[in-house]
Amino acid sequence: MRAAALVLVALQLAVRGWVVFTGDFYWDDLILISRSGHYPALSAEFLFYDHDGHFMPAAFLVAWLSTAIAPLDWAVPAVTLLAAQALASLAVLRVLRLLLGNRPVVLVPLAFYLFVPLTLPSFAWWAAGLNSLPMQIGLAWVAGDAIRLCRTGRIRFAVSGALVAAVSLAFFEKSVLVPVTAFVVVALMFRVDGVDRPIRAAWTRGRSLWIPLAAVVAVWAGAYLFFTRSRLVLPSAEQTVGLVHHGTSLGLVPTLLGGPWSWDRWPPSPPWATPPLVLVVLGWVAVAAAVVWSLRYRQRTAGVWLAMLGYVAASEAAMVLTRSGPDTAYELAQTLRYVSDSAVVIVLGWALLVRAPRRPEVRPLPSPRPVLVGAVVVVFVASSLWSTVTFTERWRDNPTVDYLANGRAALAADPDTPVLDQSVSIYVLLPVAYPHNTTSRIFGPLRERPEFARSTDRLQLFDDTGHLVPAVVAPARNLGQGPVPGCGYRVEDVPVELPLDGPLLEWEWTAGLNYFASTDGDVEVSLNKGGDTVTVPVRAGLNQVFVRLIGAGDAVRVRARTPGLAVCVGAGPVGSVVPAEGGTP
């Protein structure tokens, strides 16, 4: 049995390896990279950042290490995801053996966990996997430690369980459910075994774990409440019903049969499940049949179903209370990542149902033949693999892949020409992620690249595909020729205001300065009514420089910083950077 189980795990990792190595960075992954390249790894500002309501210092640390080892190289995150999946799979195998023994029946729920598409979207997406996979490890491992502690009384299982729970909480705040799940599993195990007062027995035998777990959760809760801002909202009844329906009937339930078989996607959104109606109906029929079978033929199993229902309900409630809003689409619930950890809980419940003794007063059903059971498992795995293939096809439809590849190549090809900062394509990251949606933050960790500066003598722009294309300044205002014949505006060590032909509002502007400098040196440039000052290098002779200015005003203020430097500045535009004629926006 053990060899067969390990073969199944190896097959799962082969499939998941194919999935993850055909993927790449997506959306929040770029925010992790941006922050990793900008902050020290052990700074509070980095580790305790409120990431859209998530408190995940350990995930940030893994992202920092991955970025430091190989910035913007997908191979390192892919390996971290695959390693975490291996640990989760082995932890599930361990707890199944503890509940069911070394029997072939273990292979059935194990195969379900290993191949069910329920966990697939959160696995393939690095940022989501850094949350979900450590939690899955925690759910299975801590439940296993709790079982072993209650059986043996050995304190090492209490220590191990508390440490793993603490680590899983450091990756994902939803791991607060790990201690609760472990306690419920032990109590239900005692219940189906016929132990008197199972809740009291679970507490008494496992208190050396429950007390440290309570302390861990208390410390974590204080940190969570201190560092994060509540995003709880009160949704409408209509939106609540819609999200729960889409998350359950169109999301979770079809995966129980290896669905959803098909996925849809509107880039840049992630894929969501789009199961056919027949699969939805069959999924509910299978759930109903399992409930009827267990209640009729197995003793003391109602609590197991209530626990599984409660866990899924808690997961969906968290989604509804934190992600509802006027712009929330119901398809969000069909992305499956909000209920992916339910796969571990379903497997634990499955094992408890199988563990429960038969009802002596009810004539048992004929035991299914191993060949039939094997055939059902094969059909489920085949169904799941088809869903995996169709998901991967949708997941590959990711404009971020080409954008990053083209951007890396363009920057490496010309490492000596400074590049002005800009926002990446909205198909890669929306402006709501500012400043993490800027090219200086995303490409900043690269070693082979030019400087992202506030000025450059060659104006370029990243287009929507990540290529650097020639660019020009589309004028919002213009600088005049200036009063000095043959010079324009003469600038030395005293600030000179170069008037514009109209005022500029507070914004990010680019000025194109055409100048003649007496020698190499530096000048200071700013807008005259607020904003920062930019130090700009100039070269002797007739040249052009483009300066990124942030602020407002009706004139550009220029002063020479280098002693003896004199600069003549002529007419030029101030406005926004756009592709030159022939470039793509």
Side-chain angles (χ1 to χ4, degrees):
M1 192 286 298
R2 181 181 300 180
L6 293 177
V7 168
L8 286 176
V9 171
L11 288 175
Q12 182 223 24
L13 295 179
V15 172
R16 290 292 170 97
W18 170 72
V19 171
V20 74
F21 280 102
T22 57
D24 211 304
F25 297 106
Y26 168 74
W27 211 258
D28 284 38
D29 300 348
L30 302 180
I31 297 177
L32 299 184
I33 292 168
S34 164
R35 300 192 70 253
S36 297
H38 193 72
Y39 296 104
L42 300 181
S43 65
E45 190 174 14
F46 177 70
L47 292 177
F48 303 131
Y49 174 70
D50 180 358
H51 182 59
D52 198 21
H54 292 306
F55 184 61
M56 42 189 278
F60 287 140
L61 188 57
V62 171
W64 190 94
L65 291 171
S66 299
T67 303
I69 292 170
L72 288 179
D73 186 340
W74 177 244
V76 178
V79 169
T80 64
L81 289 171
L82 203 57
Q85 181 63 77
L87 292 175
S89 300
L90 293 173
V92 168
L93 172 59
R94 172 181 181 253
V95 74
L96 285 175
R97 291 177 61 199
L98 289 170
L99 287 169
L100 298 176
N102 292 316
R103 297 186 291 157
V105 69
V106 166
L107 299 177
V108 180
L110 177 65
F112 173 85
Y113 171 77
L114 295 178
F115 297 100
V116 68
L118 180 59
T119 61
L120 185 59
S122 62
F123 165 79
W125 184 358
W126 188 37
L130 287 176
N131 293 153
S132 179
L133 288 168
M135 182 179 180
Q136 292 175 44
I137 295 168
L139 285 168
W141 189 267
V142 178
D145 273 352
I147 293 170
R148 298 204 69 182
L149 173 67
C150 291
R151 287 177 180 172
T152 67
R154 294 177 183 172
I155 296 301
R156 68 184 181 92
F157 296 117
V159 174
S160 170
L163 289 175
V164 171
V167 171
S168 63
L169 275 169
F171 278 94
F172 191 22
E173 69 281 351
K174 191 181 176 183
S175 294
V176 71
L177 295 176
V178 166
V180 178
T181 301
F183 183 85
V184 171
V185 166
V186 173
L188 288 172
M189 181 184 69
F190 288 156
R191 167 68 179 163
V192 300
D193 287 350
V195 175
D196 290 336
R197 305 175 73 178
I199 295 177
R200 182 184 180 90
W203 166 256
T204 302
R205 299 186 195 181
R207 80 175 84 193
S208 58
L209 173 59
W210 312 134
I211 293 173
L213 285 178
V216 166
V217 170
V219 172
W220 169 86
Y224 177 81
L225 293 173
F226 181 81
F227 289 109
T228 63
R229 178 176 59 87
S230 173
R231 286 168 172 78
L232 295 180
V233 296
L234 188 62
S236 66
E238 179 183 4
Q239 188 170 57
T240 299
V241 171
L243 286 171
V244 170
H245 166 67
H246 281 253
T248 307
S249 291
L250 302 181
L252 187 150
V253 170
T255 67
L256 303 180
L257 299 181
W261 296 346
S262 62
W263 310 77
D264 202 354
R265 188 179 195 182
W266 300 335
S269 69
W272 63 84
T274 55
L277 179 60
V278 64
L279 188 59
V280 175
V281 172
L282 289 175
W284 277 115
V285 168
V287 171
V291 172
V292 170
W293 168 81
S294 65
L295 295 180
R296 178 170 175 78
Y297 294 100
R298 297 283 174 165
Q299 300 181 50
R300 302 179 291 274
T301 56
V304 177
W305 286 106
L306 290 175
M308 287 192 287
L309 176 63
Y311 189 94
V312 173
S315 296
E316 294 189 343
M319 172 189 67
V320 171
L321 291 173
T322 59
R323 293 296 181 256
S324 296
D327 299 323
T328 300
Y330 291 145
E331 287 78 8
L332 174 75
Q334 293 166 242
T335 60
L336 303 182
R337 66 182 185 271
Y338 295 100
V339 291
S340 62
D341 45 278
S342 299
V344 178
V345 174
I346 291 170
V347 165
L348 292 171
W350 188 335
L352 289 167
L353 294 175
V354 174
R355 181 186 178 90
R358 295 186 176 91
R359 290 184 179 274
E361 71 276 12
V362 178
R363 182 179 179 180
L365 291 172
S367 298
R369 295 182 177 180
V371 173
L372 178 61
V373 174
V376 171
V377 171
V378 168
V379 170
F380 169 79
V381 171
S383 175
S384 299
L385 290 177
W386 177 248
S387 295
T388 300
V389 170
T390 55
F391 171 84
T392 304
E393 290 175 350
R394 286 294 189 181
W395 186 240
R396 286 173 176 169
D397 184 15
N398 179 7
T400 305
V401 179
D402 289 338
Y403 188 94
L404 295 179
N406 293 334
R408 287 194 300 264
L411 293 171
D414 187 8
D416 300 322
T417 302
V419 179
L420 297 184
D421 200 8
Q422 68 173 86
S423 297
V424 299
S425 166
I426 60 171
Y427 298 106
V428 174
L429 204 56
L430 288 174
V432 70
Y434 181 85
H436 306 298
N437 70 320
T438 57
T439 52
S440 65
R441 287 293 194 95
I442 292 174
F443 293 114
L446 291 174
R447 299 180 181 93
E448 296 182 5
R449 64 169 179 84
E451 178 187 5
F452 284 95
R454 295 287 294 274
S455 65
T456 182
D457 56 5
R458 180 185 173 196
L459 192 58
Q460 301 176 92
L461 182 71
F462 286 97
D463 65 12
D464 276 349
T465 64
H467 290 100
L468 269 176
V469 299
V472 296
V473 177
R477 296 288 185 258
N478 288 283
L479 295 168
Q481 183 55 44
V484 180
C487 178
Y489 295 94
R490 184 175 178 84
V491 177
E492 296 181 293
D493 58 351
V494 177
V496 176
E497 291 196 353
L498 287 56
L500 299 167
D501 57 5
L504 291 172
L505 298 174
E506 181 87 20
W507 195 246
E508 184 178 88
W509 305 102
T510 301
L513 302 181
N514 299 296
Y515 70 89
F516 183 91
S518 61
T519 185
D520 292 349
D522 295 327
V523 297
E524 293 179 345
V525 184
S526 65
L527 290 168
N528 68 330
K529 293 185 178 179
D532 56 356
T533 298
V534 182
T535 299
V536 180
V538 295
R539 294 179 294 152
L542 184 63
N543 295 289
Q544 185 180 41
V545 68
F546 301 91
V547 186
R548 177 64 46 78
L549 300 173
I550 300 173
D554 54 16
V556 175
R557 183 180 290 125
V558 184
R559 183 182 77 88
R561 283 173 51 94
T562 303
L565 173 64
V567 182
C568 292
V569 182
V574 180
S576 302
V577 179
V578 298
E581 186 175 355
T584 58

